Amino acid sequence: MDVRKYSGIKIRDMILSGEVKVEEVVNAYLKRIEETEGKIDALLYINKHEAIEIARDMDKNGPDPSKKLWGIPIVIKDVLTTKGIPSTCASKMLENFIPFYDAEVVRRIKEQGGIIIAKSNMDEFAMGSSTENSAFKPTKNPWDLDRVPGGSSGGSAASTAASQSPISIGTDTGGSIRQPAAFCGVIGLKPTYGRVSRFGLIAYGSSLDQAGPITRTVKDAALMLSVIAGKDKKDSTSSPNPVPDYLQEMEKYKDLKSIKIGLPKEYWQEGLDPDIQKKSEEFFRLLKELGAELIEISLPHTKYAVATYYIIVMAEASSNLARYDGVRYGYRTKDAEELIDMYVKTRSEGFGFEVQRRIILGTYVLSAGYYDAYYKKAAQVRRLIRQDFLDAFSNCDVILTPVSPTLPFKLKEKIHDPLTMYLADIFTTPLNLSGLPGISIPVGLGDNLKLPVGLQFIAPPFREDILLGIADRVEGELDPLPEPFGLKS
Ligand code: GLN
């Protein structure tokens, strides 16, 4: 069975019709992992034995068509807790942490018959844009093994691009689903804040974090969102809004003739990579041919987004990461003389460099005397950024932007220049600050570098249905991407 050919939906159909057994499916993906993992280093843990055992049980009891993910292998970012399986956040701090409970996202996946086949690599505690901040290993981009897969969900995106599973889960605090999806040529959906429960999502920036699917087809993303979305009493910020059947609901938005697409002039400026510019122009032409109306809009506070995001996210991170003190769980230093010494050594040894930088900066912006100047100001600007979007949506249905100003960059190219790395988050962070949903879709390979180009559609809160409908339509019009070049031979 050549797993590269199949979407998650197709796999489930084949199992339900009796064409394949769940065990065959799981074995085929494990084999694919074996063939590709040495090249891309996308995974931190392969759940081989449990996955095979579950598959056998499922085959014994016969297919259950009421389960939406029956038999589909799924890769989970290591920031989500998985019962009995290491959940490390790619940090030394949690290297030996085996949670005794599933994140709500994971629980829902299992409830629908999805099989957790592996945990994926990431930037430590989801802090980064290249997966180079993993304490264990950098992941490589399947299109070019000398380049980064993006981050922080680079393991999930690279894994899905390499068909190690049809579907993976990432999390997005400032772009970490959409940017790696764009870099690896797959689909990444960041849902509206509150659409998906954060219970068991190890916190980075609690007011920004959101889990979502990374897939190779838009329909798989729609299916996944229907499974993981919805109110959870264990997360008070999860929304009670009813969850539609996205696969059905999105059909309403596939006719682009009645759709008005806003192009924010602050996003479409000089400085974009020429490959991205060129592919985007071709994509605009396609949208017009399909009948969509493209209009220029303005999001005037865009220029403050990166600064605002980094102040808020570092403040929240410094507070969230205070729990790793060497006392309750996680890493503890071997040689401490007294309590304070134990805290200091535990945290200095357990956290990587980027995490420590953010804790220090986050503590600084929250400190008495600076709180008003930095944190409070950032919280105010955040409101203005959100208001820009809400105003824009009175003139258009969705907004279209680049995901990243650059194509996947070389490993080590930016890792010693944090400011350049942060600035690359310019097009993704505004959505997290505003709580809005966004989808990143591949629109082709660049003419010069032959690397995937991803673009982002943004919708009003809770309108993932429109995003999915439009994305599904254009996916049908675009040429499918070939197999990632780095995996050949
Ligand atoms: N690159 C951003 C950061 O480093 C976003 C990360 C994320 O979305 N988890 O914070």
Side-chain angles (χ1 to χ4, degrees), residues 16 90 115 119 126 131 142-143 167 209 231 240 292 308 354 370 435 445:
L16 292 186
I115 300 176
K119 298 292 294 287
T131 315
W143 291 91
I167 297 170
D209 297 339
K231 178 72 191 167
T308 305
E354 181 63 25
Y370 293 106
L445 298 179

Side-chain angles (χ1 to χ4, degrees), residues 177-241:
I177 289 176
R178 292 159 286 154
Q179 183 256 25
F183 277 18
C184 293
V186 290
I187 290 141
L189 174 65
K190 178 201 109 59
T192 307
Y193 184 77
R195 181 69 299 190
V196 175
S197 168
R198 287 182 298 109
F199 178 78
L201 192 181
I202 297 172
Y204 165 23
S206 308
S207 76
L208 306 148
D209 297 339
Q210 197 58 194
I214 296 179
T215 60
R216 288 200 312 281
T217 70
V218 175
K219 289 197 173 75
D220 273 3
L223 170 71
M224 273 316 275
L225 187 63
S226 300
V227 170
I228 63 175
K231 178 72 191 167
D232 170 20
K233 62 179 187 318
K234 301 186 291 312
D235 172 6
S236 62
T237 62
S238 66
S239 164
N241 282 7

Side-chain angles (χ1 to χ4, degrees), residues 77 126-129 152 171-176 204 309-310 313 358 425:
K77 185 179 183 182
M127 300 179 189
S129 311
S152 62
T171 63
D172 193 312
T173 304
S176 282
Y204 165 23
Y309 167 78
Y310 275 97
V313 84
R358 293 186 187 205
D425 296 336

Side-chain angles (χ1 to χ4, degrees), residues 322-334:
R323 71 190 67 174
Y324 305 103
D325 55 7
V327 176
R328 286 159 294 183
Y329 54 92
Y331 177 79
R332 179 190 293 179
T333 186
K334 301 284 169 294

Side-chain angles (χ1 to χ4, degrees), residues 19 42 50 74 123 143 178 195 250 275 306 336 346 355 368 383 394 425 452 474 481 483:
E19 213 174 306
E50 192 185 72
I74 292 168
D123 285 299
W143 291 91
R178 292 159 286 154
R195 181 69 299 190
M250 71 186 206
D275 270 347
V306 170
T346 291
V355 173
R383 291 298 298 251
S394 56
D425 296 336
V474 296
L481 296 184
E483 163 152 33

